[in-house]
Amino acid sequence: MRTIRGILAFAAMLHAGATFAQEADTRPNPFKAPPSEQERQLVQDERTRNIVRGMQGEIVDKVSAKFDRKIDTMEDTLKRRIDDAVKAAAIPQPGAAQGTVAGAKGIGTGTETGAEKSAVPEGATFISCVNKKALYRDKDNALFKDDSATNRCAS
């Protein structure tokens, strides 16, 4: 019986010692000054950094997914705008010659003969001299160059 009482007493002391050790871990050391506000903030900042480091992979995955979706949207928008511009450029404008775009029929087509190049269209107005060549604009806003040696800018 004595041995059983001894074992029970020893177990009770172990339990009390364990409880005391846990209590001592949770309460601050009475011989140490409490941490300052700056030290508490540093501890909190370190905890925050550890949380962010732990979540960094997840954050990067989410941001890159959003970035990829945005790039795809921008590419689709750009393709649609280019297609719309190509379609608009392919539609002949009223008053333009068949197969040409309005406003560009007089510049650098290379289809004119030497006599036609030197001829200034009727009703065209002189704009300026460009590289010793006269530049004219007709009533349809098409630009024409006078490449002949007798133009007003040749000298």
Side-chain angles (χ1 to χ4, degrees):
M1 252 343 209
R2 281 184 176 205
T3 56
I4 295 176
R5 282 186 202 169
I7 292 173
L8 288 176
F10 182 69
M13 287 189 335
L14 282 178
H15 180 68
T19 306
F20 180 73
Q22 285 179 349
E23 187 179 313
D25 287 342
T26 57
R27 65 180 176 170
N29 186 352
F31 301 107
K32 185 177 175 186
S36 67
E37 187 61 35
Q38 184 180 11
E39 290 172 340
R40 286 187 191 137
Q41 186 64 40
L42 290 174
V43 169
Q44 188 65 28
D45 289 347
E46 185 62 29
R47 288 180 186 161
T48 304
R49 276 190 225 104
N50 289 337
I51 291 170
V52 171
R53 282 185 198 125
M55 295 178 61
Q56 187 174 9
E58 184 180 338
I59 292 170
V60 167
D61 291 342
K62 286 183 178 182
V63 169
S64 66
K66 286 181 180 181
F67 187 71
D68 290 341
R69 284 195 305 268
K70 187 67 173 175
I71 287 176
D72 291 342
T73 304
M74 290 171 56
E75 286 176 349
D76 292 342
T77 303
L78 183 61
K79 286 178 184 177
R80 270 189 267 123
R81 285 183 180 177
I82 290 172
D83 291 342
D84 292 345
V86 167
K87 287 177 185 175
I91 298 172
Q93 300 294 325
Q98 195 76 343
T100 61
V101 178
K105 62 183 178 179
I107 294 183
T109 56
T111 58
E112 302 94 341
T113 63
E116 289 175 347
K117 274 187 172 180
S118 63
V120 177
E122 292 182 31
T125 57
F126 175 75
I127 304 267
S128 68
C129 294
V130 179
N131 295 332
K132 295 186 178 183
K133 297 175 184 172
L135 184 64
Y136 294 92
R137 182 181 305 269
D138 71 352
K139 59 186 174 187
D140 294 330
N141 279 338
L143 298 174
F144 293 91
K145 287 191 280 185
D146 186 6
D147 294 337
S148 67
T150 59
N151 72 38
R152 58 170 42 167
C153 300
S155 49

